[in-house]
Amino acid sequence: MMVGRGYLSRQAFALLSFARATGNPELAAMLVEKASSLKSQADEIMPSGDLSPKAPDVETDPPSSRSG
């Protein structure tokens, strides 16, 4: 099963938040690098097709031939 773009984006945001909160510059750099990796993965995921409702198929009767 593949994770979605939203999940990866939320994880990257959390890592960036932790990076800002830490006082350890090495840890912050590692977290930013990991967030960048997650962002790249999210960008590679193709958006699923058009999820909007589809119009119903409409069949029309062929025009009747009139003899006149």
mmCIF file of all heavy atoms in Angstrom, residues 3 8 11 13-14 18-19 23 26-27 32 38 40 46 50 54 61 64 67:
data_model
loop_
_atom_site.group_PDB
_atom_site.id
_atom_site.type_symbol
_atom_site.label_atom_id
_atom_site.label_comp_id
_atom_site.label_asym_id
_atom_site.label_seq_id
_atom_site.Cartn_x
_atom_site.Cartn_y
_atom_site.Cartn_z
ATOM 1 N N VAL A 3 1.508 5.288 0.611
ATOM 2 C CA VAL A 3 0.992 6.410 1.404
ATOM 3 C C VAL A 3 0.690 7.578 0.483
ATOM 4 O O VAL A 3 1.257 7.693 -0.598
ATOM 5 C CB VAL A 3 1.983 6.831 2.511
ATOM 6 C CG1 VAL A 3 2.179 5.708 3.497
ATOM 7 C CG2 VAL A 3 3.295 7.276 1.936
ATOM 8 N N LEU A 8 2.594 12.368 3.612
ATOM 9 C CA LEU A 8 4.001 12.743 3.510
ATOM 10 C C LEU A 8 4.196 14.228 3.820
ATOM 11 O O LEU A 8 5.176 14.610 4.469
ATOM 12 C CB LEU A 8 4.536 12.403 2.125
ATOM 13 C CG LEU A 8 4.632 10.906 1.805
ATOM 14 C CD1 LEU A 8 4.999 10.699 0.347
ATOM 15 C CD2 LEU A 8 5.626 10.213 2.720
ATOM 16 N N GLN A 11 4.022 14.740 7.578
ATOM 17 C CA GLN A 11 5.236 14.257 8.229
ATOM 18 C C GLN A 11 6.391 15.238 8.023
ATOM 19 O O GLN A 11 7.158 15.512 8.953
ATOM 20 C CB GLN A 11 5.617 12.870 7.701
ATOM 21 C CG GLN A 11 4.604 11.795 8.026
ATOM 22 C CD GLN A 11 4.354 11.652 9.513
ATOM 23 O OE1 GLN A 11 5.289 11.551 10.298
ATOM 24 N NE2 GLN A 11 3.104 11.652 9.902
ATOM 25 N N PHE A 13 6.135 18.445 7.503
ATOM 26 C CA PHE A 13 5.840 19.625 8.322
ATOM 27 C C PHE A 13 6.220 19.372 9.785
ATOM 28 O O PHE A 13 6.805 20.232 10.448
ATOM 29 C CB PHE A 13 4.358 19.987 8.205
ATOM 30 C CG PHE A 13 3.979 21.187 9.014
ATOM 31 C CD1 PHE A 13 4.277 22.464 8.562
ATOM 32 C CD2 PHE A 13 3.328 21.052 10.231
ATOM 33 C CE1 PHE A 13 3.943 23.584 9.311
ATOM 34 C CE2 PHE A 13 2.991 22.156 10.985
ATOM 35 C CZ PHE A 13 3.294 23.429 10.525
ATOM 36 N N ALA A 14 5.913 18.182 10.288
ATOM 37 C CA ALA A 14 6.253 17.840 11.673
ATOM 38 C C ALA A 14 7.771 17.846 11.874
ATOM 39 O O ALA A 14 8.276 18.371 12.876
ATOM 40 C CB ALA A 14 5.669 16.475 12.041
ATOM 41 N N PHE A 18 9.968 20.221 14.426
ATOM 42 C CA PHE A 18 10.948 19.724 15.387
ATOM 43 C C PHE A 18 12.308 20.366 15.148
ATOM 44 O O PHE A 18 13.027 20.691 16.104
ATOM 45 C CB PHE A 18 11.082 18.206 15.316
ATOM 46 C CG PHE A 18 9.869 17.462 15.817
ATOM 47 C CD1 PHE A 18 9.410 16.345 15.145
ATOM 48 C CD2 PHE A 18 9.192 17.859 16.956
ATOM 49 C CE1 PHE A 18 8.291 15.650 15.591
ATOM 50 C CE2 PHE A 18 8.077 17.167 17.416
ATOM 51 C CZ PHE A 18 7.632 16.063 16.720
ATOM 52 N N ALA A 19 12.674 20.551 13.881
ATOM 53 C CA ALA A 19 13.970 21.153 13.557
ATOM 54 C C ALA A 19 14.061 22.579 14.093
ATOM 55 O O ALA A 19 15.107 22.992 14.596
ATOM 56 C CB ALA A 19 14.194 21.139 12.045
ATOM 57 N N GLY A 23 17.606 22.814 19.766
ATOM 58 C CA GLY A 23 18.770 23.683 19.892
ATOM 59 C C GLY A 23 20.020 23.019 19.324
ATOM 60 O O GLY A 23 21.083 23.616 19.291
ATOM 61 N N GLU A 26 23.003 19.993 14.529
ATOM 62 C CA GLU A 26 23.195 18.756 13.761
ATOM 63 C C GLU A 26 21.875 18.016 13.603
ATOM 64 O O GLU A 26 21.552 17.513 12.526
ATOM 65 C CB GLU A 26 24.236 17.877 14.433
ATOM 66 C CG GLU A 26 25.627 18.478 14.399
ATOM 67 C CD GLU A 26 26.614 17.686 15.242
ATOM 68 O OE1 GLU A 26 26.219 16.681 15.867
ATOM 69 O OE2 GLU A 26 27.789 18.090 15.284
ATOM 70 N N LEU A 27 21.115 17.945 14.690
ATOM 71 C CA LEU A 27 19.813 17.298 14.640
ATOM 72 C C LEU A 27 18.869 18.077 13.721
ATOM 73 O O LEU A 27 18.150 17.483 12.915
ATOM 74 C CB LEU A 27 19.206 17.184 16.041
ATOM 75 C CG LEU A 27 17.798 16.587 16.125
ATOM 76 C CD1 LEU A 27 17.761 15.172 15.550
ATOM 77 C CD2 LEU A 27 17.309 16.607 17.564
ATOM 78 N N VAL A 32 15.756 18.519 8.687
ATOM 79 C CA VAL A 32 15.442 19.263 7.459
ATOM 80 C C VAL A 32 15.739 18.399 6.238
ATOM 81 O O VAL A 32 14.964 18.388 5.270
ATOM 82 C CB VAL A 32 16.232 20.588 7.411
ATOM 83 C CG1 VAL A 32 16.134 21.236 6.042
ATOM 84 C CG2 VAL A 32 15.727 21.535 8.488
ATOM 85 N N LEU A 38 11.093 13.583 2.211
ATOM 86 C CA LEU A 38 9.656 13.290 2.211
ATOM 87 C C LEU A 38 8.918 14.157 1.189
ATOM 88 O O LEU A 38 8.009 13.692 0.501
ATOM 89 C CB LEU A 38 9.069 13.497 3.603
ATOM 90 C CG LEU A 38 9.463 12.467 4.658
ATOM 91 C CD1 LEU A 38 8.910 12.872 6.018
ATOM 92 C CD2 LEU A 38 8.984 11.083 4.278
ATOM 93 N N SER A 40 10.136 15.346 -1.576
ATOM 94 C CA SER A 40 10.441 14.797 -2.899
ATOM 95 C C SER A 40 9.573 13.576 -3.195
ATOM 96 O O SER A 40 9.077 13.414 -4.304
ATOM 97 C CB SER A 40 11.916 14.409 -2.991
ATOM 98 O OG SER A 40 12.723 15.546 -2.896
ATOM 99 N N MET A 46 1.829 10.577 -8.243
ATOM 100 C CA MET A 46 0.907 11.136 -9.221
ATOM 101 C C MET A 46 -0.443 11.348 -8.551
ATOM 102 O O MET A 46 -0.924 10.473 -7.827
ATOM 103 C CB MET A 46 0.733 10.169 -10.395
ATOM 104 C CG MET A 46 2.004 9.956 -11.170
ATOM 105 S SD MET A 46 2.481 11.426 -12.021
ATOM 106 C CE MET A 46 1.811 11.078 -13.600
ATOM 107 N N ASP A 50 -9.342 12.282 -11.898
ATOM 108 C CA ASP A 50 -10.427 13.181 -11.541
ATOM 109 C C ASP A 50 -11.417 12.442 -10.650
ATOM 110 O O ASP A 50 -12.017 11.465 -11.062
ATOM 111 C CB ASP A 50 -11.114 13.675 -12.809
ATOM 112 C CG ASP A 50 -12.187 14.699 -12.538
ATOM 113 O OD1 ASP A 50 -12.284 15.178 -11.392
ATOM 114 O OD2 ASP A 50 -12.935 15.024 -13.476
ATOM 115 N N LYS A 54 -18.997 11.592 -12.069
ATOM 116 C CA LYS A 54 -19.103 11.470 -13.516
ATOM 117 C C LYS A 54 -20.551 11.703 -13.940
ATOM 118 O O LYS A 54 -21.485 11.330 -13.245
ATOM 119 C CB LYS A 54 -18.680 10.075 -13.971
ATOM 120 C CG LYS A 54 -17.293 9.682 -13.532
ATOM 121 C CD LYS A 54 -16.280 10.195 -14.500
ATOM 122 C CE LYS A 54 -14.923 9.636 -14.154
ATOM 123 N NZ LYS A 54 -13.899 10.563 -14.019
ATOM 124 N N ASP A 61 -32.117 8.136 -28.646
ATOM 125 C CA ASP A 61 -32.729 7.287 -29.658
ATOM 126 C C ASP A 61 -32.328 7.821 -31.022
ATOM 127 O O ASP A 61 -32.286 9.031 -31.234
ATOM 128 C CB ASP A 61 -34.262 7.308 -29.528
ATOM 129 C CG ASP A 61 -34.715 6.655 -28.231
ATOM 130 O OD1 ASP A 61 -34.010 5.750 -27.754
ATOM 131 O OD2 ASP A 61 -35.759 7.054 -27.701
ATOM 132 N N SER A 64 -35.930 8.939 -36.019
ATOM 133 C CA SER A 64 -36.774 8.067 -36.848
ATOM 134 C C SER A 64 -36.831 8.618 -38.251
ATOM 135 O O SER A 64 -36.864 9.812 -38.476
ATOM 136 C CB SER A 64 -38.178 7.965 -36.241
ATOM 137 O OG SER A 64 -38.749 9.261 -36.185
ATOM 138 N N SER A 67 -41.042 9.069 -43.819
ATOM 139 C CA SER A 67 -41.310 9.011 -45.260
ATOM 140 C C SER A 67 -42.429 9.974 -45.549
ATOM 141 O O SER A 67 -43.454 9.975 -44.901
ATOM 142 C CB SER A 67 -41.740 7.604 -45.692
ATOM 143 O OG SER A 67 -40.767 6.680 -45.336
#
